[in-house]
Amino acid sequence: MDALQAAYASDEEPPTKRRKLLQPETQNLNTTFKNQIPKVPKQTVPGRYISRRERTSGPSQDSKLLNERRNEIWWEGPGSMLDLPSRISEAKQTNELPECRVPSHRTTRLVGHSAGVNRLQWSNQSGQLLASCSMDHTVAIWDIFRTGKCVARFSEHTGCVKDIQWSDDNHRLLSCGFDKTVKLTDIESGASIDTFKHKEFITSIKFHPWQQSLFLAGGYKSGVVCWDVRSHSVVTEFKGLFGQVQSLEFINKGKQFVSCTDITKRNSTDKAIMVWDFDSAVILSNQVYQEAYPCTCVKVHPQSSHFLAQSNGGYIAIFSCNKPYKLNKRKRYEGHQVSGYHIGFDISPDGSLVGTGSATGEIFFYNYYSSKIIKKFGAHSRVCMDLQFHPVLGSTVASCSWDGGICLWE
C-alpha cells in the first residue's frame, strides 16, 4: 500500500495522459506530410466502371470520346454517295424486271462489325448502298459497287440495333434497338435528325409506303405505335396483349399492315400473326395462323396479292392479302432450320425466288410457284440471320451472319 501511495503521489503524469497529449502533435505531423504530397489527377482507364458520383458530377473522358466518334463518314469519291453506279444505271435503262437467277459464287466478304449482324437492307428502288445493323450497337453503310468498303458508321445507339429502314428518297435511315429509342439519321452528313424515346425495347420498325412522315415501331410487350416525324408525336397506338413484335409489313397499298409476334403464353396462338386496319387501329383478323409456332419475319410478295411469313416450325408459310387472309395449306417452303433465331428471308424482285437463311449457316433458295428447293449451300460459319435480293440486279444477293460477316453472292 505504501508503494502504491508513493507512486500516485509522485509529480509524474500517468502514461495514458502523456499519449493523449502527444496525439494531436502526431495528427498535425500527418496532415502536414499529406499536404506535401502532390495530387496526381485520376486518369480514366478505357472500359473501366464509372461510379454514379462520377457520372453525375460531369461528363467523363469515355463519354467525351464516344461523342467525338459518334457518327463517322468516310465518303471521298466524286459527287454524292447516293449517285448511281454505272452498273446499276445501265441495268435500270432497260425498264424491265431484272432477270433473277440463283447465285453461284461469293464475290465479296465485308468485315466491319465486331458482333452478330441482325438485319440488312438495300437502299430503295436502286440499291446503290447497303445498310446493316449489329449487336455491337452500330449501323454501317456499305458502298458495294464502287469502293466495296464501309462509307459511314453510326454509333448513336447504346444497345444492340435490331432493325433498320431506308426512307423512300434514301436520304434518311431509321434504326431501333435495345436502348429503347428509334433514331432518324441523315445519310450524307451523318447528323442525327431526331430521337424517338420509348418505355421498352423496340424490335421492329417500318415506314408507311406513301406517307413517309409516318412510321410504325413495334415494342417488346405493349404493342405497336405510329409516330409522326413532323410533330414528333405518337398519332396512333395499336394495343394488344402479345409479346415481342418481330416484324411489320404493309399490305393493300398501306391501308392495312401485318404484325408477327413472339408468343410464349399458353392458348395465345391467335396472336402470332395479326392484321390491322391502319386508320382505325382495329384488329381485322387474329385467326390467320393457328399453329403453335411464333413467326420471325413477314414479307409481301411483289407481284401477287400474298404475303409470306417465316415460322419457327422450320418453314415459310404463304397467306392471302385479302379477307379472310387464308393460309395456303397445300404449299410451304421447308427444308431450312429456324431453331428460335430471328431469321429473315426475302423474295426476288420478279417474285420467282424465295431465299432464306438458316440456323445451320446455309442459304436456301426455293421456287416460289412449286415451293421446291432449287439450291442450298454453306454460306457462314454461324447462323445466317438475314438475306436480301438486290432490287435492280436480280442475281445479286447479300447475306449476314451471327459471326459479324456480310457476304455478297452472284
Side-chain angles (χ1 to χ4, degrees):
M1 293 294 295
D2 296 338
L4 290 173
Q5 290 178 359
Y8 282 109
S10 62
D11 295 333
E12 296 181 359
E13 295 180 354
T16 55
K17 291 184 178 180
R18 249 184 271 129
R19 293 194 193 98
K20 290 182 179 179
L21 291 173
L22 292 173
Q23 189 173 0
E25 298 178 2
T26 308
Q27 290 180 352
N28 293 334
L29 290 174
N30 291 335
T31 53
T32 55
F33 179 72
K34 288 181 180 178
N35 293 332
Q36 294 176 359
I37 301 176
K39 293 184 178 180
V40 180
K42 189 175 183 180
Q43 297 181 355
T44 303
V45 180
R48 73 175 183 88
Y49 170 75
I50 301 174
S51 65
R52 183 181 296 178
R53 180 178 297 177
E54 292 179 4
R55 291 197 299 266
T56 56
S57 62
S60 63
Q61 187 176 354
D62 290 344
S63 62
K64 291 180 181 178
L65 292 175
L66 181 61
N67 292 332
E68 292 176 359
R69 299 181 306 171
R70 176 160 292 179
N71 289 340
E72 298 173 322
I73 306 293
W74 299 299
W75 175 255
E76 298 178 355
S80 170
M81 69 171 68
L82 293 173
D83 294 340
L84 292 181
S86 58
R87 181 180 175 186
I88 297 178
S89 59
E90 292 174 1
K92 292 191 69 173
Q93 290 176 0
T94 58
N95 296 324
E96 298 178 357
L97 287 175
E99 182 183 358
C100 298
R101 294 173 296 177
V102 176
S104 59
H105 62 283
R106 188 181 73 183
T107 59
T108 308
R109 175 176 169 81
L110 307 173
V111 179
H113 289 290
S114 60
V117 182
N118 291 317
R119 280 292 174 265
L120 297 174
Q121 190 179 29
W122 294 99
S123 53
N124 292 325
Q125 300 176 359
S126 300
Q128 64 267 41
L129 298 174
L130 177 68
S132 61
C133 61
S134 172
M135 298 292 287
D136 62 0
H137 309 178
T138 64
V139 176
I141 307 297
W142 306 86
D143 181 27
I144 302 295
F145 301 101
R146 284 169 291 195
T147 62
K149 298 179 181 179
C150 179
V151 294
R153 185 181 300 276
F154 308 137
S155 306
E156 294 180 328
H157 287 278
T158 58
C160 70
V161 188
K162 290 291 292 182
D163 199 5
I164 47 177
Q165 280 290 316
W166 290 89
S167 63
D168 192 41
D169 57 0
N170 294 329
H171 288 278
R172 300 173 298 168
L173 187 73
L174 271 180
S175 58
C176 68
F178 281 178
D179 58 352
K180 304 179 182 180
T181 62
V182 177
K183 303 282 187 180
L184 183 63
T185 309
D186 184 83
I187 295 300
E188 294 187 279
S189 65
S192 177
I193 301 175
D194 207 343
T195 300
F196 307 90
K197 297 182 179 180
H198 298 75
K199 296 181 180 179
E200 61 182 5
F201 300 151
I202 303 300
T203 54
S204 181
I205 47 178
K206 188 71 176 180
F207 269 115
H208 194 273
W210 54 273
Q211 298 184 49
Q212 285 292 294
S213 60
L214 304 178
F215 71 89
L216 298 175
Y220 192 75
K221 288 184 180 180
S222 62
V224 183
V225 294
C226 179
W227 284 89
D228 192 337
V229 176
R230 299 166 296 183
S231 61
H232 188 84
S233 60
V234 176
V235 294
T236 312
E237 294 185 8
F238 304 88
K239 296 183 178 180
L241 298 176
F242 46 86
Q244 175 182 347
V245 179
Q246 301 272 32
S247 182
L248 299 166
E249 183 71 18
F250 281 96
I251 60 175
N252 299 330
K253 299 180 180 180
K255 298 178 181 179
Q256 305 161 3
F257 72 91
V258 182
S259 66
C260 60
T261 59
D262 185 6
I263 301 296
T264 57
K265 298 180 181 179
R266 295 181 59 188
N267 301 324
S268 58
T269 57
D270 57 341
K271 298 178 178 62
I273 296 179
M274 304 172 69
V275 182
W276 302 77
D277 184 80
F278 179 73
D279 295 327
S280 62
V282 175
I283 299 176
L284 299 178
S285 178
N286 59 356
Q287 305 294 324
V288 179
Y289 188 61
Q290 292 296 312
E291 299 189 24
Y293 298 108
C295 296
T296 62
C297 184
V298 59
K299 292 284 182 72
V300 65
H301 195 274
Q303 304 298 330
S304 66
S305 58
H306 294 86
F307 67 90
L308 282 69
Q310 179 85 273
S311 173
N312 255 315
Y315 59 88
I316 299 175
I318 182 171
F319 303 85
S320 173
C321 288
N322 302 319
K323 291 183 179 181
Y325 314 104
K326 188 176 180 181
L327 167 68
N328 190 342
K329 297 182 178 180
R330 298 182 178 179
K331 183 166 65 173
R332 61 174 55 175
Y333 310 92
E334 56 185 347
H336 59 283
Q337 298 181 18
V338 180
S339 303
Y341 290 96
H342 192 183
I343 295 178
F345 71 97
D346 199 16
I347 309 169
S348 61
D350 63 351
S352 62
L353 300 176
V354 177
T356 179
S358 177
T360 58
E362 297 175 299
I363 292 178
F364 285 73
F365 291 96
Y366 298 92
N367 185 296
Y368 171 76
Y369 303 101
S370 65
S371 70
K372 294 182 179 180
I373 298 177
I374 302 176
K375 190 175 183 179
K376 66 175 182 178
F377 53 83
H380 299 275
S381 59
R382 299 185 66 182
V383 182
C384 182
M385 294 296 295
D386 197 12
L387 178 144
Q388 291 289 314
F389 282 94
H390 194 275
V392 177
L393 307 173
S395 60
T396 301
V397 177
S399 64
C400 64
S401 172
W402 204 249
D403 59 7
I406 301 172
C407 294
L408 195 69
W409 309 85
E410 292 185 0

